[in-house]
């Protein structure tokens, strides 16, 4: 049962308590037209909740995937991803936010936050992984062997430089092209190729070292 | 070919792998680099596997969205303090004003994002109360109060997931879940055994909830009561089920207690329930100051005329009509109340309390409820209010 009054069913959207002839703007404005990313960003700069929601929901999976790739099953992934969007609000408020390439800005911010977090936790994490303790978040479907293997790869991955981790996350978690990756990282395509090559070579070397231990 | 080309060759190999070729097929394309490429491509496979099963949890996404929107709303609100300073003002004045504002704005902005449990949260609530008091228009104050209600609910959503239990207070419309549980503002409520569930707790009605936030995002309820809004002002229009007082339109039904024969122009005090959809439903309406019968406009006269004639004006007409004389002889505390209410969030008594949103009114919802019918929820539901208006038509 719902409250009724005067014979009218009161539903969401009823707005009857406003002054006569003084319509209040709707609580939410629906944008039926397709805005360009620049238009959406411009509206987000005005803190339009619809634009902010559109941006958040469009890019949250992208940022989360990146953070998760860098951090593994660490529960802090959600906090870091949420912090990226809070930083966006702060930046837009101070008019220092992204002008055009929002994705590059978000992933760049995510990269900085992950780096900061890893810097603080690095030694603790390495010693933790050296003990071969499984991550708490491993799914039960993972076979023991596969889980152990992923753990070894995770351990080796975290021993890479932050730039190497960044390029592998963009290429293998986000599956961005060489050009997109170069744009996001602010490097030339040639530099990204070389960085990727060195990252995979280092990953391979670290894995071999672990297998010999 | 030298080893300098290996990064480019590796990229080509990765592209072939992405296109579905097997590792062996790819290696056959570059027989001279097989020894170098094989370990790199195997490492690439491991690197790709690291990214599997990393889909974003929906709950986390919803929490993040709520936190972001709450932060944006706070910053939107804090821009209230931004003044255009491009006018030609002497640098000394600018610096002095800047220093004063820096202290005020800095603290205000710093507290804007505070959540329950944060050191600055009390300051945030105090800032909201001050702004509520500074807002003179009754309809605008109600709107502001609603925005604060939404803010409280968003704070609770943003806090969900915290490991420690946090004391929260928020308001929102009650909803019944398919499983038989209750939510308020979409936040699951846990009612302790023996918690008094009153008949007036019906889907769609706003309640004020106090309790402790659990790690799963639900709230263990300690206190719950109907969200009531009280305001005073001149009656501007009277309809069969819809009245307007002080620019605020609200519904009435057969359960609305109307004390006195209200006419357009009378000063009345309204206590209303807030329902989902931003609708107010009056529980009681008390006439505290009637206009002179000879001067009062006819019932259901167009409200614009009534409003112009009755609403206190900053520039009174030079020649006083009898109706205006009535206004002028009112007690001093009533002067200008319609446009410049002095009410606060704390309960004030009598007809002079222009506006208040009262978690614990002197006349409690329970008392009000008990004086009427124990099945208020049911009777509130369906009956039009022809009888009430018929009285006034006489």
């Amino acid at each position: 049962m719902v409250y009724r009054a005067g014979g009218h069913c009161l539903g969401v959207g009823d707005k009857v308590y406003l002054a006569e002839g003084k319509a209040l703007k709707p609580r939410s404005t629906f944008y039926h037209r397709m805005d360009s990313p620049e238009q959406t960003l411009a509206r987000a700069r005005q803190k339009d909740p619809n634009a902010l929601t559109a941006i958040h929901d469009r890019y949250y999976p992208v940022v989360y995937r990146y953070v998760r790739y860098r951090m593994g099953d660490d529960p802090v992934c959600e906090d870091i991803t949420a912090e990226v969007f809070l930083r966006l609000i702060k930046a837009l408020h101070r008019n220092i936010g992204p002008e055009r390439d929002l994705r590059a800005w978000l992933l760049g911010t995510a990269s900085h936050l992950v780096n900061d977090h890893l810097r603080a936790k690095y030694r603790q994490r390495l010693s933790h992984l050296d003990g071969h303790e499984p991550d708490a978040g491993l799914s039960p479907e993972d076979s023991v062997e596969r889980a152990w293997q992923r753990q070894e790869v995770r351990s080796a991955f975290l021993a890479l430089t932050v730039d190497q981790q960044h390029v592998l996350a963009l290429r293998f978690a986000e599956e961005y092209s060489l050009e997109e990756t170069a744009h996001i990282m602010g490097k030339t395509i040639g530099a990204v190729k070389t960085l990727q090559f060195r990252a995979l070579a280092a990953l391979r070397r670290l894995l071999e070292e672990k297998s010999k231990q | 070919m030298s080893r300098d080309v290996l990064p480019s060759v590796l990229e080509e190999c990765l592209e072939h792998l992405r296109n579905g070729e097997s590792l062996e097929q790819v290696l056959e394309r570059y027989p001279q680099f097989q020894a170098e490429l094989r370990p790199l491509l195997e490492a690439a496979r491991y690197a790709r596997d690291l990214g599997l099963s990393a889909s974003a949890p929906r709950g986390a996404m919803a929490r993040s969205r709520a936190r972001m929107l709450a932060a944006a709303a706070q910053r939107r609100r804090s821009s209230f303090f931004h003044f255009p300073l491009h006018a030609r003002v002497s640098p000394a004045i600018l610096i002095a004003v800047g220093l004063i504002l820096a202290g005020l704005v800095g603290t205000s902005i710093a507290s804007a994002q505070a959540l329950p449990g944060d050191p600055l949260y009390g300051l945030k609530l105090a800032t909201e109360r001050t702004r509520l008091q500074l807002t003179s228009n009754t309809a605008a104050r109600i709107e502001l109060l609603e925005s604060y209600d939404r803010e409280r609910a968003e704070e609770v959503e943003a806090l969900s997931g915290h490991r420690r239990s946090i004391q929260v207070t928020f308001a929102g419309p009650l909803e019944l879940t398919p499983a038989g549980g209750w939510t308020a503002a979409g936040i699951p409520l846990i009612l302790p055994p023996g918690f008094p569930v009153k008949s007036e707790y019906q889907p769609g009605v706003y309640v004020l909830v106090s309790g402790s936030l659990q790690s799963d995002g639900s709230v263990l309820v300690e206190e719950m009561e109907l969200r009531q809004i009280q305001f005073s002002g001149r009656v501007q229009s009277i309809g069969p089920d819809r009245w307007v007082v002080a620019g605020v339109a609200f519904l009435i039904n057969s359960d609305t207690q109307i004390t006195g024969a209200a006419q357009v122009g009378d000063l009345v005090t309204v206590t209303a329930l807030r329902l989902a959809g931003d609708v107010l439903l009056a529980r009681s309406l008390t006439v505290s100051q009637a206009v002179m019968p000879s001067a009062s406009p006819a019932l259901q006269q167009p409200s614009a005329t009534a409003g112009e004639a009755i609403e206190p004006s900053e520039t009174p007409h030079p020649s006083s009509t009898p109706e205006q004389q009535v206004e002028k002889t009112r007690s001093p505390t009533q002067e200008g109340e319609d446009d410049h209410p002095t009410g606060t969030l704390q309960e004030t008594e009598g007809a002079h309390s222009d506006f208040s949103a009262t978690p614990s009114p002197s006349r409690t919802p329970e008392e009000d409820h008990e004086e009427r019918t124990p099945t208020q929820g049911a009777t509130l539901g369906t009956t039009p209010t022809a009888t009430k208006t018929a009285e006034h038509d006489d």
Side-chain angles (χ1 to χ4, degrees):
Chain A
M1 178 204 140
V2 297
Y3 273 102
R4 288 166 183 269
H8 299 294
C9 180
L10 302 175
V12 172
D14 287 350
K15 297 187 184 310
V16 297
Y17 70 86
L18 300 175
E20 299 247 0
K22 183 188 168 190
L24 189 72
K25 64 181 179 182
R27 295 277 174 231
S28 59
T29 307
F30 296 99
Y31 293 88
H32 296 295
R33 64 182 188 277
M34 293 292 288
D35 283 347
S36 70
E38 286 77 17
Q39 287 171 318
T40 306
L41 192 55
R43 287 194 286 116
R45 196 161 279 119
Q46 304 304 315
K47 304 179 191 66
D48 176 345
N50 296 295
L52 291 171
T53 299
I55 286 173
H56 178 275
D57 291 359
R58 162 76 180 81
Y59 289 107
Y60 186 93
V62 174
V63 177
Y64 180 84
R65 196 162 51 235
Y66 175 88
V67 174
R68 175 76 187 268
Y69 187 89
R70 295 277 312 269
M71 301 290 299
D73 292 328
D74 196 315
V76 82
C77 285
E78 291 179 14
D79 290 337
I80 289 179
T81 308
E83 180 62 26
V84 170
F85 290 94
L86 291 178
R87 295 278 175 105
L88 174 67
I89 296 295
K90 288 178 192 168
L92 292 176
H93 187 69
R94 294 163 60 194
N95 277 327
I96 56 171
E99 290 296 326
R100 286 188 171 185
D101 198 337
L102 182 57
R103 183 183 62 182
W105 190 93
L106 291 169
L107 288 172
T109 304
S111 171
H112 289 308
L113 290 172
V114 169
N115 294 343
D116 289 347
H117 185 78
L118 288 179
R119 204 169 289 132
K121 298 285 183 183
Y122 192 59
R123 291 185 183 282
Q124 181 187 349
R125 173 168 279 275
L126 278 183
S127 62
H128 170 77
L129 290 169
D130 283 345
H132 300 313
E133 292 178 34
D135 278 353
L138 283 176
S139 63
E141 306 86 59
D142 279 343
S143 68
V144 175
E145 185 180 357
R146 187 173 172 77
W148 179 83
Q149 187 183 60
R150 287 185 70 180
Q151 199 59 52
E152 291 291 287
V153 177
R154 167 71 48 204
S155 168
F157 177 80
L158 287 171
L160 299 176
T161 67
V162 290
D163 258 7
Q164 289 171 347
Q165 292 180 41
H166 194 32
V167 77
L168 292 186
L170 294 176
R171 297 300 323 272
F172 295 105
E174 305 289 356
E175 299 193 329
Y176 289 143
S177 69
L178 213 51
E179 290 76 13
E180 287 173 311
T181 305
H183 177 67
I184 290 170
M185 294 189 75
K187 294 181 182 292
T188 64
I189 290 177
V192 172
K193 278 185 192 173
T194 304
L195 184 60
Q196 174 181 256
F197 175 83
R198 288 180 180 160
L200 289 176
L203 184 64
R204 176 69 193 199
R205 188 179 63 253
L206 288 163
L207 287 171
E208 284 176 355
E209 286 172 5
K210 283 191 165 293
S211 67
K212 289 175 188 169
Q213 287 171 359
Chain B
M1 269 200 268
S2 74
R3 286 178 57 87
D4 293 344
V5 299
L6 268 177
S8 294
V9 173
L10 173 66
E11 175 59 27
E12 289 172 23
C13 292
L14 293 172
E15 194 58 35
H16 291 308
L17 286 174
R18 280 194 195 98
N19 291 335
E21 289 187 29
S22 71
L23 178 63
E24 298 306 324
Q25 285 173 321
V26 172
L27 288 174
E28 281 173 15
R29 288 172 174 268
Y30 305 94
Q32 69 276 37
F33 293 123
Q34 276 200 12
E36 292 93 340
L37 286 176
R38 181 181 292 278
L40 293 173
L41 295 177
E42 285 174 353
R45 194 187 65 202
Y46 289 129
R48 180 168 290 112
D49 285 351
L50 276 182
L52 299 178
S53 71
S55 57
R58 291 189 65 183
M61 185 165 159
R63 285 192 292 275
S64 170
R65 188 194 305 120
R67 282 179 69 180
M68 185 188 77
L69 292 176
Q74 285 296 340
R75 285 174 190 278
R76 202 164 47 236
R77 216 168 283 150
S78 68
S79 62
F80 170 78
F81 292 99
H82 291 171
F83 296 99
L85 292 178
H86 49 261
R88 290 181 184 176
V89 184
S90 80
I93 294 176
L94 270 182
I95 291 170
V97 172
L99 285 174
I100 295 168
L101 285 181
L104 292 173
V105 177
T107 318
S108 170
I109 290 176
S111 67
Q113 287 189 65
L115 293 171
D118 291 348
L120 288 177
Y121 189 66
L123 178 62
K124 177 181 180 176
L125 296 183
T127 305
E128 289 182 357
R129 277 196 298 273
T130 304
R131 192 171 171 201
L132 206 54
Q133 287 169 4
L134 289 173
T135 306
S136 58
N137 182 279
T138 307
R141 299 181 82 194
I142 292 177
E143 188 196 346
L144 200 56
L145 186 77
E146 289 171 1
S147 77
Y148 292 151
D149 277 352
R150 282 195 294 275
E151 176 75 22
R152 294 290 88 76
E154 285 170 358
E155 286 167 359
V156 175
E157 286 178 15
L159 280 169
S160 64
H162 279 232
R163 288 184 180 85
R164 66 191 175 94
S165 168
I166 297 172
Q167 205 67 20
V168 293
T169 299
F170 66 101
L174 275 176
E175 292 298 336
L176 201 55
T177 65
W182 286 99
T183 66
I187 298 162
L189 303 178
I190 303 171
L191 301 177
F195 188 86
V197 180
K198 298 170 185 164
S199 60
E200 57 202 356
Y201 296 155
Q202 296 293 333
V205 69
Y206 266 71
V207 289
L208 186 69
V209 178
S210 294
S212 55
L213 177 66
Q214 309 297 299
S215 57
D216 63 356
S218 61
V219 169
L220 179 61
V221 179
E222 291 164 10
E223 288 178 35
M224 185 159 80
E225 60 193 33
L226 294 177
R227 179 57 136 164
Q228 296 197 110
I229 293 175
Q230 191 178 61
F231 55 95
S232 297
R234 299 280 171 186
V235 177
Q236 289 174 293
S237 76
I238 298 175
D241 55 6
R242 181 175 180 272
W243 291 38
V244 179
V245 170
V248 179
F250 55 88
L251 302 178
I252 62 170
N253 67 4
S254 59
D255 282 302
T256 305
Q257 288 195 327
I258 300 181
T259 308
Q263 303 179 59
V264 171
D266 286 351
L267 184 66
V268 297
T269 299
V270 180
T271 302
L273 291 177
R274 187 175 164 205
L275 308 183
D278 295 338
V279 175
L280 296 184
L281 172 63
R283 296 187 78 182
S284 67
L285 188 151
T286 307
V287 179
S288 50
Q289 176 81 49
V291 293
M292 293 283 286
S294 58
S296 65
L299 274 175
Q300 300 188 26
Q301 190 169 330
S303 61
T305 310
E308 285 167 14
I310 305 299
E311 284 275 324
S313 165
E314 290 183 4
T315 53
H317 299 293
S319 60
S320 297
T321 63
E323 180 184 306
Q324 287 165 333
Q325 286 170 358
V326 169
E327 285 187 44
K328 285 180 179 176
T329 56
R330 284 186 295 157
S331 69
T333 54
Q334 291 175 329
E335 284 295 330
E337 277 185 352
D338 292 344
D339 283 338
H340 305 286
T342 55
T344 69
L345 275 173
Q346 303 302 315
E347 171 70 359
T348 51
E349 291 185 359
H352 303 308
S353 64
D354 260 15
F355 178 92
S356 58
T358 56
S360 54
S362 58
R363 180 182 174 82
T364 65
E366 290 76 13
E367 288 165 356
D368 243 6
H369 171 66
E370 283 161 9
E371 283 176 19
R372 294 187 299 173
T373 164
T375 57
Q376 179 198 0
T379 52
L380 263 176
T382 49
T383 317
T385 55
T387 52
K388 296 286 182 192
T389 49
E391 287 174 19
H392 302 302
D393 282 335
D394 292 337

